Amino acid sequence: MLPRDFRDFVDTYGYGSLDDILSLFPPGKRGQEIPDPAMTALSSVAEGELRTFQGTVRVPPWPAEGALLSWGTTPVGYDLFWCRRGSDPDLWPVVVVGCRSGTALELPCTMAEFVVRMLGDPIDRPAYIPGIAGHPHSRYLNARDEAALDDAGEDPWEYLDDVWDAREDERASSAFITWVEGPGRHRADNPPVPRLTVQGFGLDGDELRVSATLDLVLGDPVTGTVRIGGPNGDVLRLAGVPVAVSGGAGDHFALDIRLPEAMNDTDMTWHELLGAMSHEPEWRLSVSVEDPAIGAARARHGIVTGVGMHESGVNRAWGEWP
């Protein structure tokens, strides 16, 4: 028996894809052609190992307790599973495995909750999976309808090009500003627990000021790393930068980073760098902080790591803009 929300979803919409990014298929059929419309028999998920921050964990084959059962995938390096924990399928947690980053994130939500939250504000999404436009722009197509559009010579996902182009045009045509409002997103190779989010950056007198939030209290003192990248790679990388931490709204703590002009060893002024970051899509800014509390929070949320994420990164949280 499979979770009820998944069965209801398939009965209503069929197997298919959300924005050509998040694909749903018969459980256990990862990487195979999507049959439609009937649910097929379950196949096993191969036994394997995952390295946790505390040691190695064995993933048993289906249908043993703790086994992973696949129900979705993406073309951007993420696979979606349930963890068979307990006899009630409606209580099986969703597990997002980053194939490229080597990380896995267990989420205390159902498949339907996961999809709904992925359609919402990027800041509130339970996992970073790039390419999902979100409400009201996203679209779900079952495999049969997508194939029919392809056969008719129509691109089922052409509308997404208009969405992304409009967003880039709005950004490129904006006048120069002294402060860029976030929020940013999470790095693809870093779990979103705890959640570090760049909220904004800009000029404050002769300083470049970066504002971020972290949903975890850190020890004192706190230092961070700030990186600015352009079309050809990193332009600036500053490590050991002092970070001022203050209480924020709810469980969010405000991180305030100030970079004086003396720290700018590029051939551009802060003013010029801000202009490039606010108008050119190839530019990006990232912030990271390190603290043992970050690794402890991840362990509590069931985050595991494979060889793609070094153990030295367990205590480090990243945020990136845009």
Side-chain angles (χ1 to χ4, degrees):
M1 184 66 70
L2 297 174
R4 181 181 300 276
D5 63 332
F6 181 85
R7 288 182 283 135
D8 290 343
F9 186 95
V10 171
D11 288 343
T12 303
Y13 302 108
Y15 300 115
S17 177
L18 173 70
D19 286 354
D20 201 25
I21 290 292
L22 197 159
S23 297
L24 274 67
F25 49 65
K29 289 292 184 181
R30 180 175 55 168
Q32 300 184 19
E33 183 179 355
I34 299 174
D36 187 59
M39 178 77 72
T40 62
L42 298 179
S43 62
S44 64
V45 173
E47 184 178 14
E49 290 184 348
L50 291 171
R51 280 195 308 119
T52 72
F53 295 145
Q54 291 77 34
T56 301
V57 170
R58 173 71 63 177
V59 179
W62 182 266
E65 182 80 6
L68 298 180
L69 181 63
S70 57
W71 59 266
T73 190
T74 75
V76 290
Y78 296 88
D79 287 329
L80 308 172
F81 299 85
W82 291 294
C83 178
R84 185 187 181 277
R85 185 176 300 129
S87 59
D88 186 353
D90 292 338
L91 299 180
W92 291 348
V94 167
V95 178
V96 182
V97 176
C99 304
R100 299 172 185 170
S101 64
T103 59
L105 174 63
E106 181 178 309
L107 301 168
C109 65
T110 66
M111 165 264 168
E113 290 175 310
F114 176 81
V115 172
V116 169
R117 290 175 63 189
M118 290 302 297
L119 291 171
D121 191 323
I123 193 67
D124 295 322
R125 293 179 182 177
Y128 171 67
I129 299 178
I132 297 177
H135 179 79
H137 305 292
S138 285
R139 179 183 187 185
Y140 184 85
L141 278 178
N142 65 50
R144 180 178 296 170
D145 290 342
E146 182 178 357
L149 289 170
D150 281 333
D151 292 341
E154 299 181 29
D155 181 359
W157 312 106
E158 185 176 6
Y159 72 98
L160 286 173
D161 294 337
D162 296 335
V163 172
W164 300 123
D165 288 347
R167 292 182 181 180
E168 288 300 333
D169 289 345
E170 180 181 0
R171 179 180 171 190
S173 62
S174 61
F176 178 79
I177 53 177
T178 58
W179 187 264
V180 176
E181 291 289 346
R185 56 183 174 82
H186 309 290
R187 279 181 39 156
D189 59 349
N190 186 244
V193 175
R195 192 179 296 270
L196 192 157
T197 307
V198 176
Q199 298 289 352
F201 58 92
L203 302 177
D204 189 352
D206 294 331
E207 297 179 322
L208 179 65
R209 183 179 178 185
V210 182
S211 175
T213 56
L214 181 70
D215 52 358
L216 183 73
V217 62
L218 301 179
D220 190 52
V222 177
T223 60
T225 298
V226 178
R227 299 174 66 175
I228 297 176
N232 299 316
D234 283 351
V235 175
L236 181 70
R237 185 181 187 277
L238 299 172
V241 178
V243 178
V245 181
S246 60
D251 295 329
H252 295 287
F253 294 85
L255 309 180
D256 187 31
I257 304 171
R258 295 173 178 267
L259 307 178
E261 186 63 44
M263 288 187 175
N264 183 0
D265 60 0
T266 73
D267 58 359
M268 303 172 68
T269 65
W270 287 147
H271 188 279
E272 292 169 332
L273 281 170
L274 181 63
M277 287 189 289
S278 60
H279 287 76
E280 301 296 331
E282 298 89 355
W283 286 76
R284 64 195 179 279
L285 177 145
S286 67
V287 175
S288 68
V289 294
E290 188 169 356
D291 192 280
I294 294 171
R298 288 175 176 158
R300 290 193 300 271
H301 284 80
I303 298 173
V304 297
T305 180
V307 295
M309 182 177 178
H310 299 295
E311 295 295 328
S312 60
V314 63
N315 296 327
R316 189 176 299 119
W318 288 270
E320 196 169 52
W321 187 93

